Amino acid sequence: MPMEPKSLKIAIANDHGGFALKRFLMEKFALDGTPIEWLDLGAYSDQSVDYPDYAEKLAQALKDDPSIMGVAICGSGVGISMALNRHAHIRCALCSDETTARLSRQHNNANVLALGGRLIGDQVALSVLKTFLTTDFEAGRHTARIEKFSTC
Ligand code: RB5
């Protein structure tokens, strides 16, 4: 019997400034036949909300299930990434290009990708997300550095 392809679970949280990009990514993102399981933590509209509340929801989701990857979107990506990085188990990287996304995985073992919903283009966001999710941590010399500021 053929094996079911392993699915990828992504928890995603946003404020009003990230709502449109969240919807776009959930509709368009695909990964070579890998089923994507989205855990949409809100916000669910473009009504004004406070990004720290959604950062908290995402931080809790990754605490409950450390195997999942997170995506966090606010208008600039700055506020929500700051709020997330107050948690020791979160390594959130604000990325606007593929190189930063790749390095954030290879060197920093980032577990959350932050995006600026009002700043990044939709197609760039798709490529940045793909790079982030398909790049492995290189471990080695990077492990001890990460351990100095986080709990894995
Ligand atoms: C909301 O207007 C905006 O401040 C927020 O989305 C984010 O950009 C904060 O860093």
Side-chain angles (χ1 to χ4, degrees):
M1 199 166 68
M3 297 264 289
E4 287 287 311
K6 203 172 167 324
S7 68
L8 179 66
K9 191 166 173 183
I10 308 170
I12 188 162
N14 57 280
D15 73 355
H16 51 291
F19 177 66
L21 180 59
K22 184 264 295 283
R23 284 221 303 200
F24 175 80
L25 292 176
M26 288 181 65
E27 190 187 324
K28 299 288 182 198
F29 184 70
L31 202 54
D32 308 326
T34 303
I36 308 289
E37 195 186 331
W38 292 99
L39 176 62
D40 183 0
L41 301 168
Y44 304 112
S45 80
D46 59 6
Q47 293 290 304
S48 182
V49 292
D50 297 334
Y51 58 80
D53 299 337
Y54 294 88
E56 288 305 305
K57 290 175 196 284
L58 186 53
Q60 188 59 52
L62 268 69
K63 185 159 258 182
D64 294 343
D65 183 356
S67 73
I68 63 182
M69 298 294 266
V71 176
I73 316 175
C74 66
S76 63
V78 174
I80 203 162
S81 60
M82 285 181 168
L84 278 157
N85 277 322
R86 296 181 66 84
H87 294 267
H89 67 291
I90 299 290
R91 292 173 303 281
C92 176
L94 172 56
C95 301
S96 52
D97 63 88
E98 287 182 51
T99 303
T100 310
R102 177 173 55 75
L103 288 168
S104 78
R105 290 289 306 128
Q106 290 175 330
H107 290 194
N108 314 116
N109 200 15
N111 53 5
V112 180
L113 169 67
L115 298 167
R118 292 174 177 156
L119 303 180
I120 195 168
D122 287 350
Q123 297 302 323
V124 176
L126 277 179
S127 329
V128 166
L129 179 57
K130 183 169 187 179
T131 299
F132 186 81
L133 293 173
T134 56
T135 305
D136 290 329
F137 178 45
E138 285 179 354
R141 69 188 188 280
H142 303 296
T143 301
R145 295 169 182 165
I146 286 168
E147 283 172 356
K148 287 190 173 184
F149 70 87
S150 63
T151 53
C152 295

